[in-house]
Amino acid sequence: MPQNRRPLIAGNWKMNGLKADGQALAKALGEQMRAESDPVFDMLVCPPFTLIANVGETIDGSGIALGAQDCHPADKGAHTADISAAMLRDLGCQFVIVGHSERRTDHGEMDQEVKAKAEAAQASDLTAIICIGETEHQRDDGKTFDVVKTQLTGSLPNSSDSSNTVIAYEPVWAIGTGRTPSNDEVQEVHALIRDGLSQALGDDQAAAVRVLYGGSMKPENARELIALPDVDGGLIGGASLKAEDFWAIAESCT
Ligand code: PEP
């Protein structure tokens, strides 16, 4: 976590929470953030679509950023039940997660579609958080580097830069399982991603793009993960649903 990249602590609430839950969580985080005079991290929450407006009102003015978990590649049209990047921007979102492994698995999303979604996000002034990561099977077969590099190259729009793009490395086998790669394994994949960003965007942009780690990050392991040289924060699922845990993870940046 070098000085020139400000850590981003991002919560992916997934399909969790009714209005009262979302509001309580957002209120607790907003209060914590307002009480922080000079936070050394950026904080982001990505509620389900149904809660975005409500959570946005609750955290308004707190300094916590608002995001969504997916968007459609088109800006409007006949796409029943889908949500465009422009609609998210209109609700006050600044970020959107694209290519999460649960979207890739549950909805068959491939790199090309993820790239189109990231392009749509960038075109609507949102920062795309592009998720990549290997399955357990791919890791066991020694294919982690190939898979991560291929997903990065295939999902990253040419228009990407440090202001509109964040990469999240999320080993699929670490998501929601309580298991994490070793610190060395995390760092080596993040360094590979940084190298891939250099080839795609040039050294200056590669040095500035934030690369998050995601997969069973919690208060107990956050400090050492975030301290790794090429880890610039976390994308957090389960632990982002408890204000105390999510805040403790953010405090690990200090
Ligand atoms: C995620 O889904 O992005 C994630 C990292 O989940 P968890 O923290 O629960 O492993």
Short mmCIF file of all heavy atoms in Angstrom, two decimals, residues 40-89:
data_model
loop_
_atom_site.label_atom_id
_atom_site.label_comp_id
_atom_site.label_asym_id
_atom_site.label_seq_id
_atom_site.Cartn_x
_atom_site.Cartn_y
_atom_site.Cartn_z
N VAL A 40 -7.61 8.12 6.29
CA VAL A 40 -6.51 7.85 5.34
C VAL A 40 -6.96 6.85 4.28
O VAL A 40 -6.17 6.36 3.50
CB VAL A 40 -5.26 7.29 6.07
CG1 VAL A 40 -4.71 8.30 7.06
CG2 VAL A 40 -5.57 5.97 6.76
N PHE A 41 -8.26 6.55 4.26
CA PHE A 41 -8.80 5.59 3.29
C PHE A 41 -10.06 6.18 2.66
O PHE A 41 -10.68 7.09 3.21
CB PHE A 41 -9.17 4.27 4.00
CG PHE A 41 -10.04 4.49 5.22
CD1 PHE A 41 -11.42 4.63 5.10
CD2 PHE A 41 -9.48 4.59 6.48
CE1 PHE A 41 -12.22 4.84 6.21
CE2 PHE A 41 -10.28 4.81 7.61
CZ PHE A 41 -11.65 4.95 7.47
N ASP A 42 -10.42 5.65 1.49
CA ASP A 42 -11.73 5.93 0.90
C ASP A 42 -12.63 4.76 1.26
O ASP A 42 -12.18 3.60 1.25
CB ASP A 42 -11.63 6.04 -0.62
CG ASP A 42 -10.84 7.27 -1.05
OD1 ASP A 42 -10.81 8.25 -0.30
OD2 ASP A 42 -10.24 7.22 -2.15
N MET A 43 -13.87 5.06 1.58
CA MET A 43 -14.83 4.00 1.89
C MET A 43 -15.96 4.03 0.88
O MET A 43 -16.42 5.10 0.47
CB MET A 43 -15.37 4.16 3.32
CG MET A 43 -16.37 3.08 3.69
SD MET A 43 -16.83 3.14 5.44
CE MET A 43 -15.55 2.17 6.17
N LEU A 44 -16.40 2.83 0.49
CA LEU A 44 -17.46 2.69 -0.51
C LEU A 44 -18.42 1.60 -0.06
O LEU A 44 -17.97 0.56 0.43
CB LEU A 44 -16.81 2.28 -1.85
CG LEU A 44 -17.70 1.68 -2.93
CD1 LEU A 44 -18.64 2.75 -3.51
CD2 LEU A 44 -16.85 1.08 -4.05
N VAL A 45 -19.71 1.84 -0.23
CA VAL A 45 -20.68 0.75 -0.01
C VAL A 45 -21.47 0.50 -1.29
O VAL A 45 -21.86 1.44 -1.99
CB VAL A 45 -21.65 1.05 1.17
CG1 VAL A 45 -20.90 1.03 2.49
CG2 VAL A 45 -22.39 2.37 1.00
N CYS A 46 -21.67 -0.77 -1.60
CA CYS A 46 -22.42 -1.17 -2.80
C CYS A 46 -23.62 -2.02 -2.38
O CYS A 46 -23.54 -3.25 -2.29
CB CYS A 46 -21.52 -1.97 -3.75
SG CYS A 46 -20.07 -1.07 -4.31
N PRO A 47 -24.74 -1.36 -2.05
CA PRO A 47 -25.94 -2.09 -1.64
C PRO A 47 -26.63 -2.72 -2.85
O PRO A 47 -26.31 -2.38 -3.99
CB PRO A 47 -26.84 -0.98 -1.06
CG PRO A 47 -26.08 0.30 -1.15
CD PRO A 47 -24.95 0.10 -2.10
N PRO A 48 -27.61 -3.60 -2.61
CA PRO A 48 -28.43 -4.08 -3.73
C PRO A 48 -29.18 -2.90 -4.36
O PRO A 48 -29.39 -1.87 -3.70
CB PRO A 48 -29.39 -5.08 -3.08
CG PRO A 48 -29.29 -4.87 -1.61
CD PRO A 48 -27.99 -4.19 -1.32
N PHE A 49 -29.60 -3.05 -5.60
CA PHE A 49 -30.28 -1.95 -6.33
C PHE A 49 -31.41 -1.33 -5.51
O PHE A 49 -31.59 -0.13 -5.50
CB PHE A 49 -30.87 -2.46 -7.65
CG PHE A 49 -29.84 -2.80 -8.69
CD1 PHE A 49 -29.89 -4.00 -9.37
CD2 PHE A 49 -28.83 -1.90 -9.01
CE1 PHE A 49 -28.94 -4.31 -10.35
CE2 PHE A 49 -27.87 -2.20 -9.98
CZ PHE A 49 -27.95 -3.41 -10.66
N THR A 50 -32.18 -2.20 -4.82
CA THR A 50 -33.37 -1.73 -4.10
C THR A 50 -33.04 -0.74 -2.98
O THR A 50 -33.91 0.00 -2.55
CB THR A 50 -34.10 -2.93 -3.46
OG1 THR A 50 -33.12 -3.70 -2.74
CG2 THR A 50 -34.76 -3.79 -4.51
N LEU A 51 -31.80 -0.77 -2.50
CA LEU A 51 -31.45 0.07 -1.34
C LEU A 51 -30.58 1.26 -1.70
O LEU A 51 -30.24 2.07 -0.84
CB LEU A 51 -30.71 -0.78 -0.29
CG LEU A 51 -31.47 -1.97 0.31
CD1 LEU A 51 -30.64 -2.65 1.39
CD2 LEU A 51 -32.80 -1.51 0.89
N ILE A 52 -30.20 1.36 -2.96
CA ILE A 52 -29.22 2.40 -3.33
C ILE A 52 -29.71 3.80 -2.97
O ILE A 52 -28.99 4.59 -2.34
CB ILE A 52 -28.84 2.31 -4.83
CG1 ILE A 52 -28.03 1.04 -5.08
CG2 ILE A 52 -28.04 3.53 -5.26
CD1 ILE A 52 -27.70 0.78 -6.53
N ALA A 53 -30.96 4.11 -3.33
CA ALA A 53 -31.45 5.48 -3.11
C ALA A 53 -31.48 5.79 -1.61
O ALA A 53 -31.00 6.84 -1.17
CB ALA A 53 -32.83 5.64 -3.73
N ASN A 54 -32.01 4.85 -0.87
CA ASN A 54 -32.16 5.04 0.57
C ASN A 54 -30.81 5.17 1.28
O ASN A 54 -30.58 6.06 2.10
CB ASN A 54 -32.90 3.81 1.08
CG ASN A 54 -33.69 4.13 2.31
OD1 ASN A 54 -33.11 4.06 3.38
ND2 ASN A 54 -34.95 4.52 2.17
N VAL A 55 -29.90 4.27 0.93
CA VAL A 55 -28.55 4.31 1.53
C VAL A 55 -27.85 5.60 1.11
O VAL A 55 -27.17 6.24 1.92
CB VAL A 55 -27.74 3.06 1.12
CG1 VAL A 55 -26.27 3.22 1.45
CG2 VAL A 55 -28.32 1.83 1.80
N GLY A 56 -28.04 6.00 -0.13
CA GLY A 56 -27.43 7.24 -0.62
C GLY A 56 -27.84 8.43 0.23
O GLY A 56 -27.01 9.28 0.58
N GLU A 57 -29.12 8.48 0.57
CA GLU A 57 -29.60 9.60 1.42
C GLU A 57 -28.98 9.53 2.81
O GLU A 57 -28.60 10.53 3.39
CB GLU A 57 -31.13 9.53 1.56
CG GLU A 57 -31.85 10.13 0.38
CD GLU A 57 -33.35 9.87 0.43
OE1 GLU A 57 -33.89 9.74 1.54
OE2 GLU A 57 -33.95 9.77 -0.65
N THR A 58 -28.86 8.31 3.31
CA THR A 58 -28.35 8.15 4.69
C THR A 58 -26.87 8.52 4.80
O THR A 58 -26.46 9.09 5.81
CB THR A 58 -28.57 6.68 5.15
OG1 THR A 58 -29.93 6.34 4.91
CG2 THR A 58 -28.26 6.50 6.61
N ILE A 59 -26.10 8.21 3.79
CA ILE A 59 -24.65 8.50 3.89
C ILE A 59 -24.28 9.85 3.27
O ILE A 59 -23.12 10.25 3.30
CB ILE A 59 -23.78 7.39 3.23
CG1 ILE A 59 -24.13 7.23 1.74
CG2 ILE A 59 -23.90 6.08 3.99
CD1 ILE A 59 -23.19 6.26 1.01
N ASP A 60 -25.28 10.54 2.74
CA ASP A 60 -25.00 11.81 2.07
C ASP A 60 -24.19 12.75 2.97
O ASP A 60 -24.55 12.96 4.13
CB ASP A 60 -26.34 12.46 1.67
CG ASP A 60 -26.11 13.63 0.74
OD1 ASP A 60 -25.18 13.57 -0.06
OD2 ASP A 60 -26.85 14.63 0.87
N GLY A 61 -23.11 13.27 2.45
CA GLY A 61 -22.31 14.23 3.21
C GLY A 61 -21.32 13.59 4.17
O GLY A 61 -20.54 14.29 4.82
N SER A 62 -21.33 12.26 4.27
CA SER A 62 -20.43 11.59 5.24
C SER A 62 -19.03 11.35 4.66
O SER A 62 -18.10 11.07 5.40
CB SER A 62 -21.01 10.23 5.65
OG SER A 62 -20.98 9.34 4.54
N GLY A 63 -18.93 11.42 3.33
CA GLY A 63 -17.65 11.09 2.69
C GLY A 63 -17.59 9.65 2.23
O GLY A 63 -16.64 9.26 1.56
N ILE A 64 -18.60 8.85 2.56
CA ILE A 64 -18.64 7.46 2.06
C ILE A 64 -19.22 7.49 0.65
O ILE A 64 -20.24 8.15 0.40
CB ILE A 64 -19.52 6.57 2.97
CG1 ILE A 64 -18.97 6.55 4.39
CG2 ILE A 64 -19.61 5.15 2.41
CD1 ILE A 64 -19.82 5.76 5.38
N ALA A 65 -18.57 6.78 -0.25
CA ALA A 65 -19.04 6.75 -1.64
C ALA A 65 -20.09 5.66 -1.81
O ALA A 65 -20.14 4.68 -1.06
CB ALA A 65 -17.87 6.53 -2.58
N LEU A 66 -20.89 5.85 -2.85
CA LEU A 66 -22.01 4.94 -3.13
C LEU A 66 -21.73 4.20 -4.44
O LEU A 66 -21.25 4.79 -5.42
CB LEU A 66 -23.28 5.78 -3.27
CG LEU A 66 -24.62 5.09 -3.44
CD1 LEU A 66 -24.98 4.26 -2.20
CD2 LEU A 66 -25.73 6.12 -3.69
N GLY A 67 -22.03 2.91 -4.45
CA GLY A 67 -21.81 2.13 -5.67
C GLY A 67 -22.89 1.09 -5.86
O GLY A 67 -23.74 0.88 -4.99
N ALA A 68 -22.83 0.42 -7.02
CA ALA A 68 -23.78 -0.66 -7.33
C ALA A 68 -22.97 -1.92 -7.64
O ALA A 68 -21.74 -1.89 -7.71
CB ALA A 68 -24.65 -0.25 -8.51
N GLN A 69 -23.68 -3.02 -7.81
CA GLN A 69 -23.01 -4.32 -7.96
C GLN A 69 -22.96 -4.81 -9.39
O GLN A 69 -22.36 -5.85 -9.67
CB GLN A 69 -23.72 -5.35 -7.08
CG GLN A 69 -23.73 -4.98 -5.62
CD GLN A 69 -24.64 -5.88 -4.81
OE1 GLN A 69 -25.00 -6.98 -5.22
NE2 GLN A 69 -25.03 -5.43 -3.63
N ASP A 70 -23.62 -4.09 -10.30
CA ASP A 70 -23.66 -4.52 -11.70
C ASP A 70 -24.31 -3.41 -12.51
O ASP A 70 -25.01 -2.55 -11.94
CB ASP A 70 -24.49 -5.82 -11.84
CG ASP A 70 -24.47 -6.38 -13.26
OD1 ASP A 70 -23.38 -6.37 -13.88
OD2 ASP A 70 -25.53 -6.81 -13.75
N CYS A 71 -24.09 -3.42 -13.82
CA CYS A 71 -24.87 -2.55 -14.72
C CYS A 71 -24.98 -3.25 -16.06
O CYS A 71 -24.25 -4.20 -16.34
CB CYS A 71 -24.21 -1.17 -14.87
SG CYS A 71 -22.62 -1.21 -15.74
N HIS A 72 -25.91 -2.76 -16.87
CA HIS A 72 -26.06 -3.30 -18.23
C HIS A 72 -25.11 -2.54 -19.16
O HIS A 72 -24.84 -1.37 -18.93
CB HIS A 72 -27.52 -3.12 -18.68
CG HIS A 72 -27.85 -3.89 -19.91
ND1 HIS A 72 -27.59 -3.41 -21.18
CD2 HIS A 72 -28.39 -5.12 -20.07
CE1 HIS A 72 -27.97 -4.32 -22.07
NE2 HIS A 72 -28.46 -5.36 -21.41
N PRO A 73 -24.62 -3.19 -20.22
CA PRO A 73 -23.71 -2.47 -21.14
C PRO A 73 -24.40 -1.37 -21.96
O PRO A 73 -23.74 -0.41 -22.37
CB PRO A 73 -23.18 -3.56 -22.08
CG PRO A 73 -23.74 -4.85 -21.64
CD PRO A 73 -24.70 -4.62 -20.51
N ALA A 74 -25.70 -1.50 -22.18
CA ALA A 74 -26.39 -0.47 -22.98
C ALA A 74 -26.83 0.69 -22.09
O ALA A 74 -27.00 0.51 -20.88
CB ALA A 74 -27.62 -1.08 -23.66
N ASP A 75 -27.03 1.87 -22.67
CA ASP A 75 -27.41 2.99 -21.81
C ASP A 75 -28.91 3.08 -21.58
O ASP A 75 -29.36 3.72 -20.64
CB ASP A 75 -26.81 4.33 -22.27
CG ASP A 75 -27.16 4.65 -23.69
OD1 ASP A 75 -27.76 3.78 -24.35
OD2 ASP A 75 -26.83 5.76 -24.15
N LYS A 76 -29.70 2.42 -22.45
CA LYS A 76 -31.16 2.34 -22.23
C LYS A 76 -31.74 1.34 -23.22
O LYS A 76 -31.02 0.83 -24.07
CB LYS A 76 -31.81 3.71 -22.41
CG LYS A 76 -31.65 4.29 -23.79
CD LYS A 76 -32.34 5.64 -23.88
CE LYS A 76 -32.01 6.22 -25.24
NZ LYS A 76 -32.54 7.51 -25.51
N GLY A 77 -33.05 1.09 -23.11
CA GLY A 77 -33.69 0.27 -24.13
C GLY A 77 -34.45 -0.91 -23.58
O GLY A 77 -34.75 -0.99 -22.39
N ALA A 78 -34.75 -1.85 -24.47
CA ALA A 78 -35.60 -3.00 -24.14
C ALA A 78 -34.77 -4.09 -23.47
O ALA A 78 -34.35 -5.07 -24.11
CB ALA A 78 -36.26 -3.51 -25.41
N HIS A 79 -34.49 -3.91 -22.21
CA HIS A 79 -33.70 -4.89 -21.43
C HIS A 79 -34.38 -5.06 -20.09
O HIS A 79 -33.96 -4.48 -19.08
CB HIS A 79 -32.26 -4.41 -21.26
CG HIS A 79 -31.57 -4.15 -22.57
ND1 HIS A 79 -31.17 -5.17 -23.40
CD2 HIS A 79 -31.27 -2.99 -23.20
CE1 HIS A 79 -30.62 -4.64 -24.49
NE2 HIS A 79 -30.67 -3.33 -24.39
N THR A 80 -35.45 -5.82 -20.08
CA THR A 80 -36.31 -5.95 -18.90
C THR A 80 -35.51 -6.34 -17.66
O THR A 80 -34.71 -7.28 -17.71
CB THR A 80 -37.41 -7.00 -19.17
OG1 THR A 80 -38.15 -6.57 -20.31
CG2 THR A 80 -38.34 -7.16 -17.97
N ALA A 81 -35.72 -5.59 -16.61
CA ALA A 81 -35.12 -5.83 -15.29
C ALA A 81 -33.66 -5.41 -15.18
O ALA A 81 -33.06 -5.56 -14.12
CB ALA A 81 -35.26 -7.28 -14.84
N ASP A 82 -33.09 -4.91 -16.27
CA ASP A 82 -31.70 -4.47 -16.17
C ASP A 82 -31.61 -2.99 -15.79
O ASP A 82 -32.58 -2.24 -15.91
CB ASP A 82 -30.97 -4.71 -17.51
CG ASP A 82 -30.52 -6.14 -17.63
OD1 ASP A 82 -29.97 -6.67 -16.65
OD2 ASP A 82 -30.73 -6.75 -18.70
N ILE A 83 -30.42 -2.59 -15.37
CA ILE A 83 -30.19 -1.22 -14.88
C ILE A 83 -28.96 -0.67 -15.61
O ILE A 83 -27.92 -1.35 -15.67
CB ILE A 83 -29.89 -1.25 -13.36
CG1 ILE A 83 -31.02 -1.92 -12.57
CG2 ILE A 83 -29.61 0.15 -12.82
CD1 ILE A 83 -32.27 -1.12 -12.38
N SER A 84 -29.08 0.53 -16.15
CA SER A 84 -27.94 1.08 -16.90
C SER A 84 -27.01 1.88 -15.98
O SER A 84 -27.40 2.31 -14.89
CB SER A 84 -28.43 2.00 -18.02
OG SER A 84 -28.90 3.22 -17.47
N ALA A 85 -25.81 2.09 -16.48
CA ALA A 85 -24.82 2.89 -15.73
C ALA A 85 -25.34 4.32 -15.53
O ALA A 85 -25.15 4.91 -14.47
CB ALA A 85 -23.49 2.88 -16.47
N ALA A 86 -26.00 4.85 -16.56
CA ALA A 86 -26.53 6.22 -16.44
C ALA A 86 -27.57 6.30 -15.32
O ALA A 86 -27.64 7.31 -14.60
CB ALA A 86 -27.16 6.65 -17.77
N MET A 87 -28.38 5.26 -15.16
CA MET A 87 -29.38 5.24 -14.07
C MET A 87 -28.69 5.25 -12.71
O MET A 87 -29.14 5.89 -11.76
CB MET A 87 -30.27 4.00 -14.18
CG MET A 87 -31.19 4.01 -15.37
SD MET A 87 -31.91 2.37 -15.57
CE MET A 87 -33.07 2.70 -16.88
N LEU A 88 -27.59 4.52 -12.63
CA LEU A 88 -26.84 4.46 -11.35
C LEU A 88 -26.23 5.82 -11.04
O LEU A 88 -26.25 6.29 -9.91
CB LEU A 88 -25.76 3.38 -11.44
CG LEU A 88 -26.28 1.96 -11.64
CD1 LEU A 88 -25.12 0.99 -11.85
CD2 LEU A 88 -27.12 1.52 -10.44
N ARG A 89 -25.67 6.42 -12.07
CA ARG A 89 -25.08 7.76 -11.89
C ARG A 89 -26.16 8.74 -11.42
O ARG A 89 -25.95 9.57 -10.54
CB ARG A 89 -24.46 8.20 -13.23
CG ARG A 89 -23.75 9.49 -13.22
CD ARG A 89 -22.44 9.43 -12.47
NE ARG A 89 -22.23 10.64 -11.74
CZ ARG A 89 -21.25 10.88 -10.89
NH1 ARG A 89 -20.35 9.96 -10.65
NH2 ARG A 89 -21.13 12.02 -10.28
#
